[in-house]
Amino acid sequence: MSDMEKTKVKQSNPDINVPEKESSPLSVPSNQEPQDAPDFDGWRHEYSEVNNDIRNHTNLRFTIFSVYLAALGGMISIAFGFFETKSGNPEHLKQIGRMGGLLVTLLFFCYELRLQSLINHNLKVGKKLEKSLGYTHITDRKSWGWFRNHHVTILFFLIIIVFWLEMIFS
């Protein structure tokens, strides 16, 4: 561990005992316990995994949203009768399509909320690790405030849910 890393750890976590000289467990006399030094390699690996998880969840969010838009198109074509049906009551089929549209929207909205909770958790863990490691990649990111992706996406889903409820009950 470099002197700079030791200084950063001491500044950010004064309760962690950072040894001045790195030693091998073999060099510790048998009657002494080795001091607990921070596991920087483990923290760096965890930090890398946290960033990979954030990347994975944001990619998954984009993919799920794309699938949702395709499913929404299918539900709209059923709900508004954009195709001809030769059997059954077309109005009944439209009503089923509208209820299906609402259910599909609620399902994908739940996926969105779950992905955002995972991203928020990983950001929180990443910020804690950055404090210990002296990194600033996550903590220095500029926020868009209310215009962050998940706020806009939540607004989008709420508008679509209100739309489907209006179509079902009108």
Side-chain angles (χ1 to χ4, degrees), residues 40-73:
F40 285 103
D41 290 334
W43 290 352
R44 285 186 193 108
H45 178 72
E46 185 176 356
Y47 182 74
S48 174
E49 289 300 314
V50 163
N51 280 307
N52 286 335
D53 283 351
I54 292 169
R55 188 176 305 111
N56 178 46
H57 291 126
T58 53
N59 287 337
L60 185 59
R61 168 190 270 166
F62 178 76
T63 304
I64 286 176
F65 195 69
S66 299
V67 172
Y68 169 69
L69 291 177
L72 183 64

Side-chain angles (χ1 to χ4, degrees), residues 4 142 166:
M4 189 169 93
K142 302 292 181 211
E166 178 65 28

